[in-house]
Amino acid sequence: MAHDVRIAIDVGGTFTDVVKLTPATGEMRFEKVPTTPDAPTRGVMNGFSKAETNPADVAMFNHGTTLGLNSLLTRTGARVAVISTFGFRDVYLLGRTDRRAMYDITFTKPPALLDRKDTFEVRERSYFDGRIAMPFDEDDARRVAQQIAAGGYEAVAVAFLHSYANPSHELRMLEVLSEEAPDVEVTLSHQLSREYREYERTSTAVLDAYIKPIVRNYLTKLQQGLQHDGFTGQFLMSRSGGGAMTAEAAGQQPVNLILSGPAGGVIGAAALSKLIDAPNLITIDMGGTSLDASLILDNEPVMYQGAEFEGMPINTPSLYIHTIGAGGGSIAWTDEAGALQVGPQSAGARPGPAAYGRGGVQPTFTDAALVLGYMGTDSPLGGDLTLNLENATKSMSAIAAELGLGATELARGIIRISTTKIVGAVRAITVELGRDPKDFALLSFGGGGGLVAIDVARELGIPTVIVPPGQGAFSALGMLMADVQHDFARTSVVSLSDVDADFFLDAFSSMEEESAAVLSTEGFDSEKQVVHRTVDVRYAGQEHSATVQFPEGTNDVIAAITKDFAVMHERLFGHVMDDDIEITTVRLRAVGLVDKPELPLYQARTSGEPSGYGQRTVYAFADEGSSYNLITRESLMAGDVIVGPAVIAEHTATTVMHEGDRLEVGSYGELVITIDYSKEA
């Protein structure tokens, strides 16, 4: 076999999704295997086996994991210390003094990742412009390093005041730590963020240090296992900002992996939007544990600066994704008032929904979908997991009796509540930000997305639902579309009127030199390197900035930035002002271009019509049910038309469409479903 196979494996909370692409033939294979939380590397290697792929034949392996995120959620990361500038020991623990839950008298901040006894300080200080205010005290630094070595710490974050402007003291602290505490993992804040805001930069460094030992250990074991099996290809990890990073870079800066779970699907959505000429998409990715909603605007994903995890800032660029606890494994329960609730608790990979027959007894979204007929016992999930209707129905009995409902009534309630939560997630990224959902198509993927997509679209007035090829493993497919990406930034708070084109030339030149060196080290020739320049600007006196593209090819850079900022401010906040404008940060995104897979075109049907494999009673709206046609997606061809009601089953997922809804298969196998609103007129 040729050594050109590409494979992507995305580890989720319940299932691990696998996509195998053979460029020579254009064949794509989609698989699912159970996630193995107790032995993460085993689940990945199981993915290779399920796809019948020899690692020795793989040219590129793209991987996404929630390992770092899970260690944060469960507080099972490293024992971590933080070293600050003398007098600034409490920067991390004090944080910001705002109160998000203003009217909740029971609110308490989530616990920090370390205690005050884990904070240390060293005599040194720099000014905001990089000048040295207090020289680095070598003896003090060694004293602190020795305390950390003796204290049993696994990792340490170094975050000195204004190190974004002058990192020399942090670099010297690294040298001292390597001499006095060689077994301790070290994170330097300036290597993650060259921006002001001490708390945000310190928080980012602490998060990175907290997960670094566990992530690096995992990647090392996985690489060793792959190399043992003959893998010599490129190993890339999905990152929070939407691109990819080498496994080596991920081990050095694992904070970039924390919010990377849903990133692959969003990148895949952006790529697909260009192929099918659908520039504006709302995406919903429904997995086993959660649902992620995001936007594609003009064929590009929406980015933002200032992500958080449980109130702890992550000062790195991230995709704008809204996540809720609504997945296939979300558990139904009754609250203290006796009202039905669904999630955020999940049955996870083990024991999973009752229908999986692995010991689960609590009713979940998946069990409800099976009871209603959205899913069936005739289409094994992933090809080998046959659902058990008796188990699913039995799981409903206790809550159904408590509420005085039948099993199908309760199942409809579970689906309805989940749908309402998903509608709320979509509204949060559209209506609440001044965008009309009717101006978008809804792209649905993940193992459960197709079960609710049409109901969500109908609630919001969205005219079209698009289901991509391989929807159940689409996030893994999206990883194959991701370029290697590095983000650089330099804080420089200065009035826009006080700078000229040379200011930007100097700022970008230094970052471009750094980025070229990094990408060259990772194997990208100059013709495979692309940079994108942006500038953060605000009105003088404002707290936060807006990011605008740096104007290329213009003689008056200042006027162009002023104009673009006015347009951006109007779009974001609904008004513009005459106040002075100031720059806060210049940014550079450096991209190493990776050869993208070409999605194969579907053949058109030359004769006949698509045929189903039977019918099933679906209790979507009433206990008497309605008959839905059963269609196998793999049997569909480009141009085929299906009119609902129908259930479209495929290897990794299921799509449900109701009476009057019209499906047409696109050129790349995407299902384009037009919602029927005629009965609501």
Side-chain angles (χ1 to χ4, degrees), residues 45 87 142 146 184 311 335 384 389 459 578 606 645 676:
M45 300 311 294
R142 290 194 181 278
Q146 290 165 4
V184 177
D335 60 23
D384 54 17
L389 178 58
E459 286 285 334
D578 295 327
T606 56
D676 178 24

Side-chain angles (χ1 to χ4, degrees), residues 31-51:
E31 298 289 354
K32 280 182 177 289
V33 295
T35 294
T36 54
D38 57 322
T41 56
R42 188 177 74 237
V44 174
M45 300 311 294
N46 288 345
F48 276 87
S49 299
K50 185 68 178 290

Side-chain angles (χ1 to χ4, degrees), residues 42-109:
R42 188 177 74 237
V44 174
M45 300 311 294
N46 288 345
F48 276 87
S49 299
K50 185 68 178 290
E52 297 180 308
T53 302
N54 184 346
D57 297 324
V58 175
M60 183 175 291
F61 168 40
N62 295 71
H63 183 34
T65 178
T66 58
L67 187 68
L69 177 62
N70 291 341
S71 67
L72 287 166
L73 289 169
T74 58
R75 293 296 194 271
T76 54
R79 182 162 183 247
V80 64
V82 61
I83 304 175
S84 306
T85 298
F86 180 75
F88 291 83
R89 176 182 178 185
D90 294 313
V91 163
Y92 174 70
L93 292 176
L94 285 176
R96 297 294 176 190
T97 56
D98 58 339
R99 182 181 175 88
R100 306 287 179 86
M102 188 173 296
Y103 301 107
D104 183 0
I105 62 174
T106 66
F107 172 77
T108 56
K109 290 178 66 173

Side-chain angles (χ1 to χ4, degrees), residues 651-667:
H651 189 55
T652 59
T654 300
T655 302
V656 176
M657 48 189 292
H658 304 302
E659 183 178 358
D661 298 330
R662 182 182 184 276
L663 177 155
E664 183 170 355
V665 182
S667 300

Side-chain angles (χ1 to χ4, degrees), residues 331-605:
I331 295 171
W333 53 285
T334 55
D335 60 23
E336 293 178 355
L340 181 64
Q341 304 288 343
V342 182
Q345 307 94 324
S346 173
R350 291 284 179 181
Y356 287 3
R358 296 173 177 165
V361 295
Q362 295 176 290
T364 67
F365 175 93
T366 297
D367 297 310
L370 182 60
V371 169
L372 290 184
Y374 281 17
M375 305 172 74
T377 59
D378 47 11
S379 301
L381 296 181
D384 54 17
L385 177 59
T386 300
L387 300 179
N388 187 307
L389 178 58
E390 182 180 353
N391 285 354
T393 304
K394 184 178 179 180
S395 73
M396 302 278 168
S397 58
I399 294 180
E402 179 183 347
L403 299 177
L405 301 173
T408 55
E409 288 180 290
L410 176 60
R412 272 196 301 276
I414 293 172
I415 299 296
R416 179 61 181 168
I417 289 171
S418 297
T419 300
T420 301
K421 292 175 68 175
I422 298 167
V423 168
V426 173
R427 287 179 60 88
I429 63 172
T430 53
V431 176
E432 294 178 14
L433 298 178
R435 298 185 176 97
D436 189 344
K438 298 183 180 67
D439 296 334
F440 296 79
L442 180 67
L443 184 74
S444 166
F445 52 94
L451 300 172
V452 297
I454 287 180
D455 293 334
V456 170
R458 183 171 276 111
E459 286 285 334
L460 293 164
I462 298 172
T464 306
V465 170
I466 301 172
V467 183
Q471 63 164 319
F474 187 70
S475 285
L477 176 60
M479 291 178 188
L480 297 178
M481 312 285 187
D483 291 312
V484 171
Q485 171 187 306
H486 293 277
D487 293 293
F488 301 86
R490 297 290 185 272
T491 285
S492 183
V493 182
V494 59
S495 175
L496 184 61
S497 61
D498 291 339
V499 303
D500 55 19
D502 289 339
F503 166 85
F504 293 104
L505 178 63
D506 292 342
F508 285 122
S509 293
S510 64
M511 290 188 286
E512 287 173 18
E513 290 177 7
E514 186 178 352
S515 69
V518 171
L519 289 174
S520 296
T521 301
E522 294 178 344
F524 293 95
D525 297 331
S526 57
E527 62 270 17
K528 290 285 189 179
Q529 299 180 19
V530 177
V531 296
H532 304 280
R533 305 173 183 89
T534 58
V535 184
D536 287 4
V537 288
R538 67 186 181 189
Y539 289 117
Q542 284 185 324
E543 171 69 10
H544 298 289
S545 306
T547 301
V548 299
Q549 295 293 322
F550 179 73
E552 308 283 359
T554 178
N555 293 326
D556 194 341
V557 171
I558 307 305
I561 291 176
T562 301
K563 179 181 177 181
D564 291 346
F565 174 60
V567 172
M568 179 65 70
H569 201 278
E570 174 77 28
R571 181 187 302 172
L572 293 174
F573 307 112
H575 69 283
V576 295
M577 300 189 293
D578 295 327
D579 296 34
D580 289 338
I581 298 173
E582 61 184 14
I583 301 165
T584 59
T585 307
V586 289
R587 300 185 185 278
L588 182 88
R589 168 160 292 178
V591 176
L593 298 176
V594 173
D595 293 333
K596 309 293 190 302
E598 292 187 9
L599 294 182
L601 290 169
Y602 266 43
Q603 292 184 341
R605 191 179 300 278

Side-chain angles (χ1 to χ4, degrees), residues 607-661:
S607 63
E609 296 181 355
S611 58
Y613 65 91
Q615 293 185 324
R616 181 191 303 151
T617 301
V618 176
Y619 304 93
F621 305 108
D623 281 350
E624 57 268 23
S626 300
S627 183
Y628 280 52
N629 293 318
L630 303 180
I631 310 291
T632 301
R633 184 171 184 176
E634 287 79 5
S635 70
L636 297 177
M637 306 182 76
D640 282 354
V641 174
I642 303 290
V643 178
V647 174
I648 316 298
E650 57 185 287
H651 189 55
T652 59
T654 300
T655 302
V656 176
M657 48 189 292
H658 304 302
E659 183 178 358
D661 298 330

